[in-house]
Amino acid sequence: MRKLLLTALLFAGIGAHRASAGAAAPEIAVSAAWFQDTIPATDSASPDIRINIEGYIGSVGTELASKGDSVPLLLQKKMPLITVPQYVKGAAAGLYIQENTGEPGTTRQFMYLRGLARPVLSIKDMYDVQPAVYVNGIPLIQDNPFIYNIQTYTVNPAGPANNLLSTLSLDNIDQIRVVKDYRDAALLGPFASNGAVYITTKAAAAGENRVSVNSYMGYVQTPGITTINAEYEKNFRLPFYYKYGTAADFESMPAYLSDSSNASYYGPSNWTDRYYKNTPQYSVNASLTGGSERANFRFFGDYTRSVAGADDTKFDRYSGSFYINMMPTRWLTISSMINGSILDRDRNKSFVDRFAEMQFLPNSKNPLAPNLNNYNAFLDFYDNTIDDNATTSIQGFWDMNARLLKDLNYDARVAFDYNEGRRNIFWNSALFDGSNYASNYFGFNQRLVIENTLNFKRELKNGDVLKLKGGISYTGDIQRYNYGIGYNGPNDYIKVNVVKGNKKEPGTYLISKGFDVYSFTDKMQQRLMSFYGKADYSFSDQLDLGALVRSDGSSAMQPGNRWFISYAFDGTYHLAPKINSALFSRLDVFASWGRIGDLRTDQNIGAGPQYLSQLGWASYPTLGSYNSFGTYSRPYNYGWIGYDIPWAYSSQLNAGTEFAVLKDQIALRLEWYSKDNRNVVFPSPVTAESGYIYEWKPGMEVNNTGLDLTISSRLGNKNGHGLSWNGQLNVGFNKNKLKALPDGLSSVITDGRKLEVGKAVDQFWLLQNNGIYNTDSEVPVDPATNLPMTYRGIALKAGDPKWMDVNGDYTIDDKDRILMGNYLPRISGGFVNQFAYKKFDLSFQLVFALKKQAMNQVAAGYYGFIERDNANTLESVKEITYWEKTVEPDAYERYNPWSQVRPYQVDQSIFMESASFLKLRTVSLGYQVSNKVLANKIRKIYLYITGTNLLTFTNYSGKDPELIEYNGYDTGYGMRLPKSFILGVKVDL
């Protein structure tokens, strides 16, 4: 039967993508082995018939060459974490995690692996710089940024905006690997062009039934903040009024400041009693594992509530997983997994979030009063609203692994990832200037993966080992949404859009009876076909060489450039056997080079020239009709897309060394890399006569160069009775540089950003401050015209900033702005420690980010109060947190806030601050209950107490140097990262 199957496969030309059933599991790095929290494999007296679980965990993952990037999980599993970015934060060299809000379950968490692959001009670009996340070999599909095409504001994507990387419980994860080296990433393909986070869940295993129950409960603590009221703000403003104000300015002072008898504003600022609360958070999960050597299983169930302790926000996750391994015959293993989750989120009540979604900006000159009674009255309006946000997610696979011949294995796998999100909104007229608003969103992401692989392994007589692998894979994605918004409904009791449903009346069918309705729908489908072959040769465990070639074809590319060829080469030399030293238990040097095609998240480039529904103004792109007739136009606001656009791709050279001494008690891994992202498609400015604001062109190149360092130790008593110390320090050094622009340009200015060849792509473009003009006579005079220096044609006067005239033309404009700072850290990392003595252990984690800057937009808006009071922008909206002291009254020069030169505009050097930080992220104390006091059926009881987000050391003057937007600006929007304490127990039966 096996020979017949082999013959059929050869004639069908089915390749190989998976590992041998008999392949040994790879060595886990010393730097992380002591942190892993795994279920040991069951011994078997008949290894020939033991179920091969590689089909379960994904053979690609088991054969990743890199050994130094395992994430320590033991401490993370004692923290109240909910998303994958939180799991890997500060845990791997070269991986920087940015949490710019403490609101649970949001999408506003970003991962940067070995720098920034391209400039980020908008939130949509963030989707193209994130590493892929794999679960048991399944590349998880994420939301597509095409939803932003119909949104005026991009605060959050339409829909529930739930983090799709929150579906996995840490207690169900066996191992997390960070894939950085292209000898590994090339095996994963174009999804991993920005690297990958490769997750392996716990496996089904043979043996008597084993039950594990893990649970924690605790509280998020109310932060210690200083509140302010109208008296404080008036005292802050009065020195500006006395110095620069006129009688008319005093008369036009906002009413909430001018009337000191108004107790709502001048009374107690006690709004925090309702906004911040000590809030419970908890989690409970259980697993059941067991079965025979020929058939075994694992079940896992979890419920977790995550909270921020602010604005009544919370996030609930319900998840369940089921795994089965079967071996019908000695040469055939069948494995399967199903994992389902329901995510339910209570979102914030911020004005910015609501106004951005409604695309509506009211007059916000007078902020919400800081008095608790007034704030309670405002929140009562929400009693008559609807704000439901739910996501359902399911992943799974079916895998068949057949040992066809002694050295040849075949693997077939079908895997899928599907999620759908729903958001239903109704906001009553009290929240919307006398009107009301309703919206309904449904969207889904679907991914199907089909893989067929052959794997050949031959151990030669001289001790050499030859491995050959070939594979074919197909990935099909479908992403779609239906979105309807309605304004001005009949009343606050009819909360849904009612339509006429009689198909026999086509003139009124599905026409709304009450709301003014606008509907949007979009669908994107993308297919990827891949072929690859890989060869590895080991010379008697002293020299390992590998090579890979693959061809990927994507429907997202233009017809003439569907396919891309990738290569990867690697070599590792093991010096320890050569030197035969008792000191070194491992001493390796290694190098690799590879290139991978870079997939875009949307298909706009692949579509070529196109039409869009963009008849609105630049800030309102969603208008799709002309005089009530549906109409398309050229995408003037989006940009022209031409022909012959090739694949963008990235290439990386990687070299380093890894050694361990004193019988693996101390280990070090050092890697140098240089990564180039080439042919990046960039929106280049074009002449105004064309009607377009951009033309999308290839030719941009960005380089990231850096060092990754990991030092680990496991010292002390090994028998569990004395004092021991295990630690891991990881540090990543990274610097990016723009190497080329389309059409050979040396610089480009777009969306208020300047990009210059030879400079970093994450710099700010700022005017340089050098004090204040105290009198008109201090303003420099142009000797050619005998006129004072100007700012964009406006004469500078007393009270205006002294901006440096870089080019000496006596005019301050964009030519005087320079590139400064960087919003991504040049140095980042973490330090994990565990001290153990007998049954007790003490663990803590430090995370740090150094040599990074941020623009304090909160301070700019607070000092520029005249401009903010009179602006009708999203940035001018004042939240209830406006009454929280975050800006010192004497931190900046007192410029004239009425000046037409906008003296407190944010893009100037006085508002650029160091945002470097060192944080004590967590401390945990645990106790292992002695076996002597346990009942016969209880194998283990472990008790622990954990505190998170405990201390921050920084010079940044804002709330938190982590609460910075993706572009480096601190808008004040993000919630504080919650400080929490939990008590937990882990029981194994």
Side-chain angles (χ1 to χ4, degrees), residues 23 92 110 140 417 512 648 676 804 917:
F110 303 114
L140 298 185
D417 181 18
S512 173
D676 289 301
M804 292 184 63
F917 65 85

Side-chain angles (χ1 to χ4, degrees), residues 612-617 620-626 629-633:
L612 295 176
S613 178
Q614 283 189 333
L615 298 182
W617 297 272
Y620 292 91
T622 59
L623 186 62
S625 66
Y626 176 76
F629 290 94
T631 310
Y632 290 103
S633 69

